Amino acid sequence: MSIGTSPLSERIAIIGLGYVGLPVAIAFAKVAEHAVGFDISQSRVEELKAAHDQTGEISREELLETSLRLSSDPQSLSGASMFILTVPTPVDDAHRPDFKPLLSACETVGPHLKHGAIVVVESTVYPGATEEVCGPALERASGLKCGTDFFLGYSPERINPGDREHRLETIVKVVSGQDDATLERVAAAYGAIVHAGVHKASSIRVAEAAKVIENTQRDINIALMNELSMIFERLDIPTRDVLAAAGTKWNFLRFFPGLVGGHCIGVDPYYLTAKAEQVGYQPEVILAGRRINDGMGRFLARKTIKLMVSAGRSLTGARIGVLGLAFKEDVPDLRNSKVPDVIDEMRSFGLAPLLHDPHCNAEEARHEFGLEIDDLERFSKLDALVLAVPHRAYLDRKSEILKMLVDGGVLIDLKGALAPEDIPAGILCWSL
């Protein structure tokens, strides 16, 4: 389905204006005569009204030009015919699905549902959650009957923060509906904003399952690479060299070891395993992959300490720097970052590493992790330096970054972002 030329007749309301919701809202405002972007955070709404998006996903020019109505007032949702929920679906400390944000969104939307309205969930959930969790919550909040008075749809988000190539408009959109008529309305709405077209899933549960396995597959593959890197480390074989050699085979899958964070890959598998356990199946491969990836921060911290000892660096009063806190390079996104795991493990050995990230908000880092962002000027005469997130801002200053280390210091180039010839003599360098 290609983008149509006529205005979209649906009155669209997007609930949640984060990394996912804001691009969706901006896109719908271009084709719908009535589009509202709602967020419970008044400060977030005011920031967007001032044409600033701290996530970096939407430019100032786009915010200045959009006709999107921004609001933190639930009354702004009245009159909408299609509600799109793009709120977080995290896990709790026990790695169980936490539906509180999604249920809160349903409670907000419910009073504004009218007969014939559709509620589309974009948040990642386990198969069945849209109908089993959201449906009853919306019924309670609205007094209406799901499947008779209002209808459900599911269209999983596929936005990749910081990726300028794979955008909402260029990625095929999976859509689904509670019945055929709902499916056609959901498909028509998304077809109006997605150039790549839509894929009509046979049911909501199929669409939910498709989303959750996309990131589960990546998680398991990265876990395999992480386990291989730990094996090769003991064999004194460079993992990157092994992968470069194996990658010459046409059907070798190109995954690399690293810290697995973010809003999806480190979270979504737990939604699937929770549902599997509900129906009496104990997952093995998926949870094994999660254990490996969740343990990588600890492994990297201990590897750094071992290398410092082998290099003759004293741990007493050692100066250690960690560059990068975001879950991936060149974005300010802290969600589920595993860099704090590295820092926490170092602290358990009595070390006090410095931390810097050119993109991350200091207040958010303090609030989410209890971590302080240090000035880069403090990074001098370091015994060890961990390049945890190879932001372009660091790579563009690599010679300056490398001078932060004392002679005989240890460099942990986590992703192997620096070329071997860039490393000065006398520096002990190690990568996954």
Side-chain angles (χ1 to χ4, degrees):
M1 182 180 296
S2 60
I3 288 185
T5 56
S6 59
L8 186 64
S9 60
E10 300 282 0
R11 296 173 66 85
I12 305 289
I14 296 87
I15 291 79
L17 297 175
Y19 283 89
V20 174
L22 182 60
V24 171
I26 294 292
F28 271 118
K30 295 177 181 178
V31 299
E33 294 182 351
H34 177 90
V36 173
F38 171 85
D39 199 284
I40 59 172
S41 170
Q42 185 175 352
S43 61
R44 172 63 169 164
V45 170
E46 293 303 319
E47 167 194 294
L48 295 175
K49 285 182 176 180
H52 173 66
D53 172 27
Q54 63 177 311
T55 72
E57 294 299 304
I58 300 298
S59 69
R60 176 177 174 80
E61 289 71 23
E62 288 177 288
L63 287 171
L64 287 172
E65 294 172 0
T66 186
S67 62
L68 178 69
R69 179 186 174 192
L70 296 160
S71 179
S72 58
D73 181 1
Q75 291 302 318
S76 66
L77 303 177
S78 294
S81 61
M82 184 174 291
F83 300 83
I84 299 174
L85 310 186
T86 65
V87 297
T89 42
V91 292
D92 61 20
D93 292 340
H95 296 145
R96 310 299 296 181
D98 180 1
F99 285 121
K100 287 194 292 291
L102 189 56
L103 288 171
S104 177
C106 291
E107 291 170 2
T108 299
V109 165
H112 306 284
L113 285 178
K114 63 180 183 179
H115 286 268
I118 294 175
V119 179
V120 180
V121 177
E122 284 214 7
S123 310
T124 300
V125 294
Y126 56 64
T130 299
E131 292 158 297
E132 297 166 7
V133 176
C134 297
L138 289 163
E139 286 183 334
R140 290 191 297 270
S142 67
L144 301 177
K145 182 68 174 177
C146 183
T148 302
D149 300 322
F150 70 90
F151 303 89
L152 298 174
Y154 184 78
S155 181
E157 60 90 3
R158 285 176 162 176
I159 289 174
N160 185 23
D163 190 334
R164 301 306 174 192
E165 178 182 355
H166 301 100
R167 310 293 294 168
L168 169 66
E169 297 83 0
T170 63
I171 306 171
V172 173
K173 200 79 166 73
V174 174
V175 296
S176 62
Q178 198 168 9
D179 54 30
D180 290 342
T182 302
L183 173 60
E184 291 306 315
R185 282 177 63 187
V186 174
Y190 281 104
I193 64 172
V194 179
H195 295 276
V198 300
H199 173 87
K200 297 178 183 178
S202 58
S203 71
I204 288 177
R205 291 166 63 88
V206 165
E208 292 167 326
K211 168 57 181 177
V212 82
I213 71 164
E214 289 175 10
N215 289 317
T216 299
Q217 182 188 67
R218 286 186 56 79
D219 191 45
I220 292 172
N221 277 290
I222 297 171
L224 173 61
M225 297 300 106
N226 279 333
E227 186 166 57
L228 290 175
S229 72
M230 289 186 277
I231 294 172
F232 295 145
E233 187 266 335
R234 295 191 176 202
L235 296 174
D236 196 26
I237 301 173
T239 303
R240 298 284 163 165
D241 292 354
V242 175
L243 295 179
T248 60
K249 190 168 187 280
W250 75 91
N251 60 352
F252 184 80
L253 303 179
R254 293 180 179 275
F255 288 90
F256 299 92
L259 297 175
V260 181
H263 65 300
C264 285
I265 299 180
V267 175
D268 295 358
Y270 288 123
Y271 275 77
L272 182 57
T273 57
K275 187 61 177 180
E277 290 168 354
Q278 281 184 18
V279 296
Y281 181 82
Q282 181 60 40
E284 296 182 23
V285 174
I286 298 172
L287 289 177
R290 280 282 75 234
R291 286 192 293 271
I292 291 171
N293 287 340
D294 277 346
M296 286 306 291
R298 180 183 180 190
F299 168 75
L300 289 165
R302 294 191 171 199
K303 181 62 180 180
T304 303
I305 292 168
K306 288 179 181 179
L307 288 173
M308 290 176 65
V309 172
S310 67
R313 311 309 305 177
S314 174
L315 298 184
T316 303
R319 289 181 55 77
I320 302 174
V322 177
L323 296 178
L325 177 60
F327 89 88
K328 63 180 289 189
E329 48 267 36
D330 302 324
V331 300
D333 197 344
L334 294 181
R335 289 174 297 175
N336 200 33
S337 170
K338 294 303 177 183
V339 176
D341 292 356
V342 179
I343 295 173
D344 288 345
E345 186 68 13
M346 288 181 174
R347 286 177 171 176
S348 73
F349 283 85
L351 302 171
L354 300 167
L355 172 66
H356 180 268
D357 193 296
H359 301 294
C360 294
N361 180 277
E363 183 177 342
E364 185 181 1
R366 191 178 303 115
H367 178 267
E368 293 296 324
F369 304 114
L371 296 174
E372 296 293 332
I373 302 291
D374 297 289
D375 292 332
L376 204 58
E377 288 72 21
R378 296 187 62 195
F379 284 61
S380 62
K381 299 181 180 179
L382 300 177
D383 296 287
L385 178 64
V386 179
L387 181 55
V389 187
H391 292 305
R392 174 51 55 188
Y394 294 142
L395 300 183
D396 288 343
R397 304 167 62 183
K398 58 187 176 183
S399 59
E400 180 182 342
I401 295 296
L402 291 168
K403 288 178 182 177
M404 296 174 177
L405 281 162
V406 298
D407 187 43
V410 172
L411 172 66
I412 303 297
D413 180 12
L414 183 60
K415 291 189 174 183
L418 301 173
E421 57 268 23
D422 293 331
I423 312 302
I427 296 298
L428 178 59
C429 182
W430 182 88
S431 300
L432 273 176

